[in-house]
Amino acid sequence: MKKIAVLGNGRVGGNLATALTRTGHQVTVADRTPGAAADAARTARIVINATPGAGSLERLTALREELRGKILVDVSNATTDGPDGLPADLLLPGSSLAEQLQEALPDTHVVKTLNTMLFPVMTAPAMLTRPPTAFLSGEDPHAKQTVHELLTDLGWRKEWITDLGGIQTARATEAAILFVPHVIRSGGLAPFALTIAR
């Protein structure tokens, strides 16, 4: 059982919080109430960033002290929105939100994952007709192993999880968000995820 704080109580954050609580973890969800994010992060071992990516860097940099020594699981993508509300472009071309977070929070272990799928798949990967892939990017091997264990708790099989390497590899997975609006427009809002077929 791990103490986990989820920052963001929208569909992504709520879905993760419910699933992690169901698997036996002690989960706190921080809403937008002033001080809620700091209180939740202060008492957790693992903090999940499920806030909108466009404002994540500013929000989390303000929690530098509360996040010191913690594992920060970043599941967000920093994008601009098109007129239909779907991702239109990357806010950080040539970089990634995960890299920016790691640079701004050098005493925090940032791990990027679960950002290449629609939110229902994050906690129910077996719902798809083909096995999806969850990618891991991060500098700290122990932090990535801890996140790997969390993914296993959420139903991800070992062979469905791919460690891409350091935090810079998050550029690739964050750029994959540009597939999403086209896939949704062509096939509807049915759950899907990127996968590596071998």
Side-chain angles (χ1 to χ4, degrees), residues 77-171:
N77 291 300
T79 62
T80 61
D81 289 338
D84 54 4
L86 295 175
D89 210 349
L90 301 176
L91 279 177
L92 300 166
S95 185
S96 65
L97 175 58
E99 288 175 87
Q100 297 292 313
L101 288 169
Q102 187 61 86
E103 183 177 350
L105 304 165
D107 298 318
T108 301
H109 307 299
V110 179
V111 179
K112 189 81 180 190
T113 194
L114 295 179
N115 64 309
T116 56
M117 62 200 70
L118 286 192
F119 75 94
V121 183
M122 295 178 176
T123 58
M127 73 191 306
L128 300 180
T129 56
R130 296 182 185 89
T133 302
F135 300 100
L136 294 175
S137 300
E139 297 299 322
D140 186 86
H142 175 71
K144 284 195 284 188
Q145 179 57 37
T146 300
V147 175
H148 192 290
E149 292 166 4
L150 278 187
L151 293 179
T152 301
D153 291 343
L154 292 173
W156 289 86
R157 298 181 187 174
K158 181 179 179 180
E159 62 269 24
W160 297 352
I161 303 171
T162 298
D163 185 343
L164 294 178
I167 200 68
Q168 190 178 38
T169 63
R171 293 183 191 186

Coordinates of all heavy atoms in Angstrom, one line a residue, residues 77-171:
N77 N -0.3 16.0 -21.2 CA 0.4 16.4 -22.4 C 0.1 17.9 -22.5 O -1.0 18.4 -22.4 CB -0.2 15.7 -23.6 CG 0.1 14.2 -23.6 OD1 1.3 13.9 -23.7 ND2 -0.9 13.3 -23.6
A78 N 1.2 18.6 -22.8 CA 1.0 20.1 -23.0 C 0.7 20.5 -24.4 O 1.6 20.4 -25.3 CB 2.3 20.8 -22.5
T79 N -0.5 20.8 -24.7 CA -0.9 21.1 -26.1 C -1.8 22.3 -26.1 O -2.4 22.8 -25.1 CB -1.8 19.9 -26.6 OG1 -3.0 19.8 -25.9 CG2 -1.0 18.7 -26.7
T80 N -1.9 22.9 -27.3 CA -3.0 23.9 -27.5 C -4.2 23.1 -28.0 O -4.1 22.0 -28.5 CB -2.5 24.9 -28.6 OG1 -2.3 24.1 -29.9 CG2 -1.3 25.6 -28.2
D81 N -5.4 23.7 -27.8 CA -6.6 23.1 -28.2 C -7.1 23.7 -29.5 O -7.1 24.9 -29.7 CB -7.7 23.2 -27.1 CG -7.4 22.4 -25.9 OD1 -6.6 21.4 -26.1 OD2 -7.9 22.7 -24.8
G82 N -7.7 22.9 -30.4 CA -8.3 23.3 -31.6 C -9.7 23.8 -31.3 O -10.2 23.7 -30.1
P83 N -10.5 24.3 -32.3 CA -11.8 24.8 -32.1 C -12.8 23.7 -31.5 O -13.8 24.1 -30.9 CB -12.2 25.3 -33.4 CG -11.3 24.6 -34.4 CD -10.0 24.4 -33.6
D84 N -12.5 22.4 -31.8 CA -13.4 21.4 -31.3 C -12.9 20.9 -29.9 O -13.4 19.9 -29.4 CB -13.4 20.2 -32.3 CG -12.0 19.7 -32.6 OD1 -11.0 20.2 -32.0 OD2 -11.9 18.8 -33.5
G85 N -11.9 21.5 -29.3 CA -11.5 21.1 -28.0 C -10.4 20.0 -28.0 O -9.9 19.7 -26.9
L86 N -10.1 19.5 -29.1 CA -9.1 18.4 -29.2 C -7.7 19.0 -29.4 O -7.6 20.1 -29.8 CB -9.4 17.5 -30.4 CG -10.8 16.7 -30.3 CD1 -11.0 16.0 -31.6 CD2 -10.7 15.8 -29.1
P87 N -6.7 18.3 -29.0 CA -5.3 18.8 -29.1 C -5.0 19.2 -30.5 O -5.3 18.5 -31.5 CB -4.4 17.6 -28.7 CG -5.3 16.7 -27.9 CD -6.7 16.9 -28.4
A88 N -4.4 20.4 -30.7 CA -4.1 20.9 -32.0 C -2.6 20.9 -32.3 O -2.1 20.6 -33.4 CB -4.7 22.3 -32.1
D89 N -1.8 21.3 -31.3 CA -0.3 21.4 -31.5 C 0.4 21.3 -30.1 O -0.3 21.4 -29.1 CB 0.0 22.7 -32.1 CG 1.3 22.6 -33.0 OD1 2.0 21.6 -32.9 OD2 1.6 23.6 -33.7
L90 N 1.7 21.0 -30.2 CA 2.5 20.9 -28.9 C 2.8 22.3 -28.4 O 3.2 23.1 -29.2 CB 3.7 20.1 -29.2 CG 3.5 18.6 -29.7 CD1 4.9 18.0 -30.0 CD2 2.8 17.8 -28.7
L91 N 2.8 22.5 -27.1 CA 3.2 23.7 -26.5 C 4.7 23.8 -26.4 O 5.3 24.9 -26.3 CB 2.6 23.9 -25.2 CG 1.1 24.4 -25.1 CD1 0.6 24.5 -23.7 CD2 1.0 25.8 -25.8
L92 N 5.4 22.6 -26.3 CA 6.8 22.6 -26.1 C 7.5 21.8 -27.2 O 8.2 20.8 -26.9 CB 7.1 21.9 -24.7 CG 6.4 22.6 -23.5 CD1 6.4 21.7 -22.3 CD2 7.1 24.0 -23.2
P93 N 7.5 22.2 -28.4 CA 8.2 21.5 -29.5 C 9.7 21.5 -29.2 O 10.2 22.5 -28.7 CB 7.8 22.3 -30.7 CG 7.4 23.6 -30.3 CD 6.8 23.4 -28.9
G94 N 10.4 20.4 -29.4 CA 11.8 20.3 -29.2 C 12.1 20.0 -27.7 O 13.2 19.9 -27.3
S95 N 11.0 19.8 -26.9 CA 11.2 19.5 -25.5 C 9.9 18.7 -25.1 O 9.3 18.1 -26.0 CB 11.3 20.7 -24.6 OG 11.6 20.4 -23.3
S96 N 9.7 18.6 -23.8 CA 8.4 17.9 -23.4 C 8.1 18.4 -22.0 O 8.9 19.0 -21.3 CB 8.7 16.4 -23.3 OG 9.6 16.1 -22.3
L97 N 6.8 18.3 -21.6 CA 6.4 18.7 -20.3 C 7.2 17.9 -19.2 O 7.7 18.5 -18.2 CB 4.9 18.4 -20.1 CG 4.4 18.7 -18.7 CD1 4.6 20.1 -18.3 CD2 2.9 18.3 -18.7
A98 N 7.4 16.6 -19.4 CA 8.2 15.9 -18.5 C 9.6 16.4 -18.3 O 10.1 16.5 -17.1 CB 8.2 14.4 -18.9
E99 N 10.3 16.7 -19.4 CA 11.6 17.3 -19.3 C 11.6 18.6 -18.5 O 12.5 18.9 -17.7 CB 12.2 17.5 -20.7 CG 12.6 16.2 -21.4 CD 13.1 16.5 -22.8 OE1 14.3 16.8 -23.0 OE2 12.2 16.5 -23.7
Q100 N 10.7 19.5 -18.8 CA 10.6 20.8 -18.2 C 10.3 20.6 -16.7 O 10.9 21.3 -15.9 CB 9.5 21.6 -18.8 CG 9.7 21.9 -20.3 CD 10.9 22.9 -20.5 OE1 11.0 23.9 -19.8 NE2 11.7 22.5 -21.4
L101 N 9.5 19.6 -16.3 CA 9.2 19.4 -14.9 C 10.4 18.9 -14.2 O 10.8 19.3 -13.1 CB 8.1 18.3 -14.8 CG 6.7 18.8 -15.1 CD1 5.7 17.6 -15.2 CD2 6.2 19.8 -14.1
Q102 N 11.2 18.0 -14.9 CA 12.4 17.4 -14.2 C 13.4 18.5 -14.0 O 14.1 18.6 -13.0 CB 13.0 16.3 -15.1 CG 14.1 15.6 -14.4 CD 13.7 14.9 -13.1 OE1 13.2 13.8 -13.0 NE2 14.0 15.6 -12.0
E103 N 13.5 19.4 -15.0 CA 14.5 20.5 -14.9 C 14.1 21.5 -13.8 O 14.9 22.0 -13.0 CB 14.6 21.3 -16.2 CG 15.6 22.4 -16.2 CD 15.8 23.1 -17.6 OE1 15.2 22.6 -18.6 OE2 16.4 24.1 -17.6
A104 N 12.8 21.8 -13.7 CA 12.3 22.7 -12.7 C 12.3 22.1 -11.3 O 12.3 22.8 -10.3 CB 10.9 23.2 -13.0
L105 N 12.2 20.8 -11.2 CA 12.2 20.0 -9.9 C 13.3 19.0 -9.8 O 13.1 17.8 -9.9 CB 10.8 19.3 -9.8 CG 9.6 20.2 -10.0 CD1 8.3 19.4 -10.2 CD2 9.4 21.1 -8.8
P106 N 14.5 19.5 -9.7 CA 15.7 18.6 -9.7 C 15.7 17.6 -8.6 O 16.4 16.5 -8.7 CB 16.9 19.5 -9.7 CG 16.4 20.8 -9.0 CD 14.9 20.9 -9.5
D107 N 15.0 17.9 -7.5 CA 15.0 16.9 -6.3 C 13.8 16.0 -6.4 O 13.5 15.3 -5.4 CB 15.1 17.7 -5.0 CG 16.3 18.6 -4.9 OD1 17.4 18.1 -5.3 OD2 16.2 19.7 -4.5
T108 N 13.1 16.0 -7.5 CA 11.9 15.1 -7.6 C 12.2 14.1 -8.8 O 12.9 14.5 -9.7 CB 10.7 16.0 -8.0 OG1 10.5 16.9 -6.9 CG2 9.5 15.1 -8.1
H109 N 11.7 12.9 -8.6 CA 11.9 11.9 -9.6 C 10.7 11.8 -10.6 O 9.7 11.3 -10.2 CB 12.2 10.5 -9.0 CG 13.3 10.5 -7.9 ND1 14.6 10.8 -8.2 CD2 13.2 10.3 -6.6 CE1 15.3 10.8 -7.1 NE2 14.5 10.4 -6.1
V110 N 10.9 12.4 -11.7 CA 9.8 12.5 -12.7 C 9.7 11.3 -13.6 O 10.8 10.9 -14.1 CB 9.9 13.8 -13.6 CG1 8.7 13.8 -14.6 CG2 9.9 15.0 -12.7
V111 N 8.6 10.7 -13.7 CA 8.4 9.5 -14.6 C 7.2 9.8 -15.5 O 6.1 10.1 -15.0 CB 8.2 8.2 -13.8 CG1 7.9 7.0 -14.8 CG2 9.3 7.9 -12.9
K112 N 7.4 9.7 -16.8 CA 6.3 9.9 -17.7 C 5.7 8.6 -18.1 O 6.4 7.6 -18.4 CB 6.8 10.6 -19.0 CG 5.8 11.1 -20.0 CD 5.2 12.4 -19.5 CE 4.1 12.9 -20.4 NZ 3.8 14.3 -20.1
T113 N 4.4 8.5 -18.1 CA 3.7 7.3 -18.5 C 2.2 7.6 -18.8 O 1.7 8.6 -18.4 CB 3.9 6.2 -17.4 OG1 3.5 4.9 -18.0 CG2 3.0 6.4 -16.2
L114 N 1.5 6.6 -19.4 CA 0.1 6.6 -19.6 C -0.5 7.8 -20.4 O -1.7 8.0 -20.3 CB -0.6 6.5 -18.2 CG -0.4 5.3 -17.4 CD1 -1.2 5.4 -16.1 CD2 -0.9 4.0 -18.2
N115 N 0.4 8.5 -21.1 CA -0.1 9.6 -21.9 C -0.3 9.4 -23.3 O -0.6 10.3 -24.1 CB 0.9 10.8 -21.7 CG 2.3 10.5 -22.3 OD1 2.8 9.4 -22.0 ND2 2.8 11.3 -23.2
T116 N -0.3 8.1 -23.7 CA -0.5 7.7 -25.2 C -1.8 6.9 -25.4 O -1.9 6.1 -26.2 CB 0.7 7.0 -25.7 OG1 0.9 5.8 -24.8 CG2 2.0 7.8 -25.6
M117 N -2.8 7.2 -24.6 CA -4.1 6.5 -24.7 C -5.2 7.3 -24.1 O -5.0 8.3 -23.4 CB -3.9 5.2 -23.8 CG -3.7 5.5 -22.3 SD -3.0 4.1 -21.4 CE -1.3 4.0 -22.1
L118 N -6.4 6.9 -24.5 CA -7.6 7.6 -23.9 C -7.7 7.1 -22.4 O -7.3 6.0 -22.1 CB -8.9 7.3 -24.6 CG -9.1 7.9 -26.0 CD1 -10.5 7.8 -26.5 CD2 -8.7 9.4 -25.9
F119 N -8.3 7.9 -21.6 CA -8.2 7.7 -20.1 C -8.8 6.4 -19.6 O -8.3 5.8 -18.7 CB -8.8 8.9 -19.3 CG -10.3 8.9 -19.4 CD1 -11.0 8.4 -18.3 CD2 -11.0 9.6 -20.4 CE1 -12.4 8.4 -18.3 CE2 -12.4 9.6 -20.4 CZ -13.1 9.0 -19.4
P120 N -9.8 5.8 -20.2 CA -10.3 4.5 -19.7 C -9.3 3.4 -19.8 O -9.3 2.5 -18.9 CB -11.5 4.2 -20.6 CG -12.0 5.5 -21.2 CD -10.7 6.3 -21.4
V121 N -8.4 3.5 -20.8 CA -7.4 2.4 -21.0 C -6.4 2.4 -19.9 O -5.8 1.4 -19.5 CB -6.8 2.5 -22.4 CG1 -5.8 1.4 -22.6 CG2 -7.8 2.6 -23.4
M122 N -6.1 3.6 -19.3 CA -5.1 3.7 -18.2 C -5.3 2.7 -17.1 O -4.4 2.1 -16.6 CB -5.1 5.1 -17.6 CG -4.7 6.2 -18.6 SD -4.8 7.8 -17.7 CE -4.2 8.9 -19.0
T123 N -6.6 2.5 -16.8 CA -6.9 1.6 -15.6 C -7.6 0.3 -16.0 O -7.9 -0.5 -15.1 CB -7.8 2.4 -14.6 OG1 -9.0 2.8 -15.3 CG2 -7.1 3.6 -14.1
A124 N -7.7 0.1 -17.3 CA -8.3 -1.2 -17.8 C -7.7 -1.5 -19.1 O -8.4 -1.6 -20.2 CB -9.8 -1.0 -17.9
P125 N -6.4 -1.8 -19.2 CA -5.8 -2.0 -20.5 C -6.3 -3.3 -21.2 O -6.2 -3.3 -22.5 CB -4.3 -2.2 -20.1 CG -4.3 -2.6 -18.7 CD -5.5 -1.9 -18.1
A126 N -6.8 -4.2 -20.5 CA -7.3 -5.4 -21.1 C -8.6 -5.2 -21.9 O -9.2 -6.2 -22.5 CB -7.5 -6.6 -20.1
M127 N -9.2 -4.0 -21.8 CA -10.5 -3.7 -22.5 C -10.3 -3.7 -24.0 O -11.3 -3.8 -24.7 CB -11.1 -2.4 -22.0 CG -10.3 -1.2 -22.5 SD -10.8 0.4 -21.7 CE -12.6 0.3 -21.9
L128 N -9.1 -3.5 -24.5 CA -8.9 -3.4 -25.9 C -8.7 -4.7 -26.6 O -8.4 -5.7 -25.9 CB -7.6 -2.5 -26.2 CG -7.6 -1.1 -25.6 CD1 -6.3 -0.4 -25.9 CD2 -8.8 -0.3 -26.1
T129 N -9.0 -4.8 -27.9 CA -8.9 -6.0 -28.6 C -7.5 -6.5 -28.8 O -7.2 -7.7 -29.0 CB -9.6 -5.9 -30.0 OG1 -8.9 -4.8 -30.7 CG2 -11.0 -5.6 -29.8
R130 N -6.5 -5.6 -28.7 CA -5.1 -5.9 -28.8 C -4.4 -5.3 -27.6 O -4.8 -4.3 -27.1 CB -4.4 -5.4 -30.1 CG -5.0 -6.0 -31.4 CD -4.3 -5.4 -32.6 NE -4.9 -5.9 -33.8 CZ -5.9 -5.2 -34.5 NH1 -6.4 -4.1 -34.0 NH2 -6.4 -5.7 -35.6
P131 N -3.3 -6.0 -27.1 CA -2.6 -5.4 -26.0 C -2.0 -4.0 -26.3 O -1.3 -3.8 -27.3 CB -1.5 -6.4 -25.7 CG -2.0 -7.7 -26.3 CD -2.8 -7.3 -27.5
P132 N -2.3 -3.1 -25.4 CA -1.7 -1.7 -25.6 C -0.3 -1.7 -25.0 O 0.2 -2.7 -24.4 CB -2.6 -0.8 -24.7 CG -3.1 -1.8 -23.6 CD -3.2 -3.1 -24.2
T133 N 0.4 -0.6 -25.2 CA 1.7 -0.4 -24.6 C 1.7 0.8 -23.7 O 1.2 1.9 -24.0 CB 2.8 -0.2 -25.7 OG1 2.8 -1.3 -26.5 CG2 4.2 0.0 -25.0
A134 N 2.2 0.6 -22.5 CA 2.5 1.8 -21.6 C 4.0 2.1 -21.6 O 4.8 1.1 -21.3 CB 2.0 1.4 -20.1
F135 N 4.3 3.3 -21.9 CA 5.7 3.6 -22.0 C 6.2 4.3 -20.7 O 5.4 5.0 -20.0 CB 5.9 4.6 -23.2 CG 5.5 4.0 -24.5 CD1 4.3 4.3 -25.1 CD2 6.4 3.2 -25.2 CE1 3.9 3.8 -26.3 CE2 6.0 2.6 -26.4 CZ 4.8 2.9 -26.9
L136 N 7.4 4.1 -20.3 CA 8.0 4.8 -19.2 C 9.2 5.6 -19.6 O 10.1 5.1 -20.4 CB 8.5 3.7 -18.1 CG 7.5 2.9 -17.4 CD1 8.2 1.8 -16.6 CD2 6.6 3.7 -16.6
S137 N 9.3 6.8 -19.2 CA 10.5 7.7 -19.4 C 10.9 8.3 -18.1 O 10.0 8.8 -17.4 CB 10.1 8.8 -20.4 OG 9.7 8.3 -21.6
G138 N 12.1 8.3 -17.7 CA 12.6 8.9 -16.5 C 14.0 8.6 -16.2 O 14.6 7.7 -16.8
E139 N 14.6 9.4 -15.3 CA 16.1 9.2 -15.1 C 16.4 8.3 -13.9 O 17.5 7.7 -13.9 CB 16.6 10.6 -14.7 CG 16.6 11.6 -15.8 CD 17.3 11.2 -17.0 OE1 18.4 10.6 -16.9 OE2 16.8 11.5 -18.1
D140 N 15.4 8.0 -13.0 CA 15.7 7.3 -11.8 C 15.2 5.8 -11.9 O 14.0 5.7 -12.0 CB 15.1 7.9 -10.6 CG 15.5 7.2 -9.3 OD1 16.6 7.5 -8.8 OD2 14.8 6.4 -8.8
P141 N 16.1 4.8 -12.0 CA 15.6 3.4 -12.1 C 14.6 3.0 -11.0 O 13.7 2.3 -11.3 CB 16.9 2.6 -12.1 CG 18.0 3.6 -12.5 CD 17.5 4.9 -11.9
H142 N 14.9 3.4 -9.8 CA 14.0 3.0 -8.7 C 12.6 3.6 -8.9 O 11.6 2.9 -8.6 CB 14.6 3.4 -7.3 CG 13.7 3.1 -6.2 ND1 13.5 1.8 -5.7 CD2 13.0 3.9 -5.4 CE1 12.6 1.8 -4.7 NE2 12.3 3.1 -4.5
A143 N 12.6 4.8 -9.3 CA 11.3 5.5 -9.5 C 10.5 4.8 -10.6 O 9.3 4.6 -10.5 CB 11.5 7.0 -9.8
K144 N 11.2 4.5 -11.7 CA 10.5 3.8 -12.8 C 10.0 2.4 -12.3 O 9.0 2.0 -12.7 CB 11.4 3.7 -14.0 CG 11.6 5.0 -14.7 CD 12.2 4.8 -16.1 CE 13.7 4.6 -16.1 NZ 14.3 4.6 -17.4
Q145 N 10.8 1.7 -11.5 CA 10.4 0.4 -11.0 C 9.1 0.5 -10.1 O 8.2 -0.3 -10.2 CB 11.5 -0.3 -10.2 CG 11.1 -1.6 -9.6 CD 10.7 -2.6 -10.7 OE1 11.2 -2.7 -11.8 NE2 9.7 -3.5 -10.3
T146 N 9.1 1.6 -9.3 CA 7.9 1.8 -8.5 C 6.7 2.1 -9.3 O 5.6 1.6 -9.1 CB 8.2 3.0 -7.5 OG1 9.3 2.7 -6.7 CG2 6.9 3.3 -6.7
V147 N 6.8 2.9 -10.4 CA 5.7 3.2 -11.3 C 5.3 1.9 -12.1 O 4.1 1.7 -12.3 CB 6.1 4.3 -12.3 CG1 5.0 4.6 -13.3 CG2 6.4 5.6 -11.5
H148 N 6.3 1.1 -12.4 CA 6.0 -0.2 -13.1 C 5.1 -1.0 -12.2 O 4.1 -1.6 -12.7 CB 7.3 -0.9 -13.4 CG 7.3 -2.1 -14.3 ND1 6.6 -3.3 -13.9 CD2 7.7 -2.3 -15.5 CE1 6.7 -4.1 -14.9 NE2 7.4 -3.5 -15.9
E149 N 5.4 -1.0 -10.9 CA 4.6 -1.8 -10.0 C 3.1 -1.2 -9.9 O 2.2 -2.0 -9.8 CB 5.2 -1.8 -8.6 CG 6.5 -2.6 -8.6 CD 7.3 -2.3 -7.3 OE1 6.8 -1.6 -6.4 OE2 8.5 -2.8 -7.2
L150 N 3.0 0.1 -9.9 CA 1.7 0.7 -9.9 C 0.9 0.3 -11.2 O -0.3 0.0 -11.1 CB 1.8 2.2 -9.9 CG 2.0 2.9 -8.6 CD1 1.9 4.4 -8.7 CD2 1.0 2.4 -7.5
L151 N 1.6 0.3 -12.3 CA 0.9 -0.1 -13.6 C 0.5 -1.5 -13.5 O -0.7 -1.9 -13.9 CB 1.9 0.1 -14.8 CG 2.3 1.5 -15.1 CD1 3.2 1.5 -16.3 CD2 1.1 2.4 -15.4
T152 N 1.3 -2.4 -12.9 CA 0.9 -3.8 -12.7 C -0.4 -3.9 -11.9 O -1.3 -4.6 -12.1 CB 2.0 -4.6 -12.0 OG1 3.2 -4.5 -12.9 CG2 1.6 -6.0 -11.9
D153 N -0.5 -3.0 -10.8 CA -1.7 -3.0 -10.0 C -2.9 -2.6 -10.8 O -4.0 -3.0 -10.5 CB -1.5 -2.0 -8.8 CG -0.5 -2.5 -7.8 OD1 -0.1 -3.7 -7.8 OD2 0.0 -1.6 -7.0
L154 N -2.7 -1.8 -11.8 CA -3.8 -1.3 -12.6 C -4.2 -2.3 -13.8 O -5.0 -2.0 -14.6 CB -3.5 0.1 -13.2 CG -3.4 1.2 -12.2 CD1 -2.9 2.5 -12.9 CD2 -4.7 1.5 -11.6
G155 N -3.5 -3.4 -13.8 CA -3.8 -4.4 -14.8 C -2.9 -4.5 -16.0 O -3.1 -5.3 -16.9
W156 N -1.8 -3.8 -16.0 CA -0.8 -3.8 -17.0 C 0.1 -5.0 -16.9 O 0.8 -5.1 -15.8 CB 0.0 -2.5 -17.1 CG -0.8 -1.4 -17.6 CD1 -1.6 -0.5 -16.8 CD2 -1.0 -0.9 -18.9 NE1 -2.2 0.4 -17.6 CE2 -1.8 0.2 -18.9 CE3 -0.4 -1.3 -20.1 CZ2 -2.2 0.9 -20.0 CZ3 -0.8 -0.6 -21.3 CH2 -1.7 0.5 -21.2
R157 N 0.2 -5.9 -17.9 CA 1.1 -7.0 -17.8 C 2.5 -6.5 -18.1 O 2.7 -5.5 -18.8 CB 0.7 -8.1 -18.9 CG -0.7 -8.6 -18.6 CD -1.0 -9.7 -19.7 NE -2.3 -10.2 -19.6 CZ -2.9 -11.0 -20.5 NH1 -2.2 -11.4 -21.5 NH2 -4.2 -11.4 -20.3
K158 N 3.5 -7.3 -17.6 CA 4.9 -6.9 -17.7 C 5.2 -6.7 -19.2 O 5.9 -5.7 -19.5 CB 5.8 -8.0 -17.1 CG 7.2 -7.7 -17.2 CD 8.1 -8.8 -16.6 CE 9.5 -8.5 -16.7 NZ 10.4 -9.6 -16.1
E159 N 4.8 -7.5 -20.1 CA 5.1 -7.4 -21.5 C 4.4 -6.3 -22.2 O 4.8 -6.0 -23.4 CB 4.8 -8.8 -22.2 CG 3.4 -9.2 -22.2 CD 3.0 -10.0 -21.0 OE1 3.6 -10.0 -20.0 OE2 2.0 -10.8 -21.2
W160 N 3.5 -5.6 -21.6 CA 2.8 -4.5 -22.1 C 3.5 -3.2 -21.8 O 3.1 -2.1 -22.2 CB 1.4 -4.4 -21.7 CG 0.6 -5.6 -22.1 CD1 0.9 -6.6 -23.0 CD2 -0.8 -5.8 -21.7 NE1 -0.1 -7.5 -23.1 CE2 -1.2 -7.0 -22.4 CE3 -1.7 -5.2 -20.9 CZ2 -2.5 -7.6 -22.2 CZ3 -3.0 -5.7 -20.7 CH2 -3.3 -6.9 -21.4
I161 N 4.5 -3.2 -20.9 CA 5.2 -2.0 -20.4 C 6.6 -1.9 -21.0 O 7.4 -2.9 -20.9 CB 5.3 -2.0 -18.9 CG1 3.9 -2.2 -18.2 CG2 6.0 -0.8 -18.3 CD1 3.9 -2.5 -16.8
T162 N 6.9 -0.8 -21.6 CA 8.2 -0.6 -22.3 C 8.9 0.6 -21.7 O 8.4 1.7 -21.7 CB 8.0 -0.3 -23.8 OG1 7.4 -1.5 -24.4 CG2 9.3 0.0 -24.5
D163 N 10.1 0.4 -21.1 CA 10.9 1.5 -20.6 C 11.7 2.0 -21.8 O 12.6 1.4 -22.3 CB 11.8 0.9 -19.5 CG 12.7 1.9 -18.8 OD1 12.8 3.1 -19.3 OD2 13.2 1.6 -17.7
L164 N 11.5 3.3 -22.1 CA 12.1 3.9 -23.2 C 13.5 4.5 -22.9 O 14.3 4.8 -23.7 CB 11.3 5.0 -23.8 CG 9.9 4.6 -24.5 CD1 9.2 5.8 -24.9 CD2 10.2 3.6 -25.6
G165 N 13.8 4.7 -21.6 CA 15.0 5.3 -21.2 C 14.8 6.6 -20.4 O 13.9 6.7 -19.6
G166 N 15.7 7.5 -20.6 CA 15.7 8.8 -19.8 C 14.5 9.7 -20.1 O 13.7 9.4 -21.0
I167 N 14.5 10.8 -19.4 CA 13.3 11.7 -19.4 C 13.2 12.3 -20.8 O 12.1 12.6 -21.2 CB 13.4 12.7 -18.3 CG1 12.0 13.4 -18.1 CG2 14.4 13.8 -18.7 CD1 11.0 12.4 -17.4
Q168 N 14.3 12.4 -21.6 CA 14.2 13.0 -22.9 C 13.3 12.2 -23.8 O 12.8 12.8 -24.8 CB 15.6 13.2 -23.5 CG 15.6 14.0 -24.7 CD 17.1 14.2 -25.3 OE1 17.9 13.3 -25.2 NE2 17.4 15.4 -25.8
T169 N 13.2 10.9 -23.6 CA 12.4 10.1 -24.5 C 10.9 10.4 -24.4 O 10.1 10.0 -25.2 CB 12.6 8.6 -24.2 OG1 12.1 8.3 -22.8 CG2 14.0 8.2 -24.3
A170 N 10.5 11.2 -23.3 CA 9.1 11.7 -23.2 C 8.7 12.6 -24.4 O 7.5 12.7 -24.7 CB 8.9 12.4 -21.9
R171 N 9.7 13.1 -25.1 CA 9.4 14.0 -26.3 C 8.6 13.1 -27.3 O 7.7 13.6 -27.9 CB 10.6 14.5 -26.9 CG 11.4 15.4 -26.1 CD 12.6 16.0 -26.9 NE 13.5 16.7 -26.0 CZ 14.6 17.4 -26.5 NH1 14.9 17.4 -27.8 NH2 15.4 18.0 -25.6

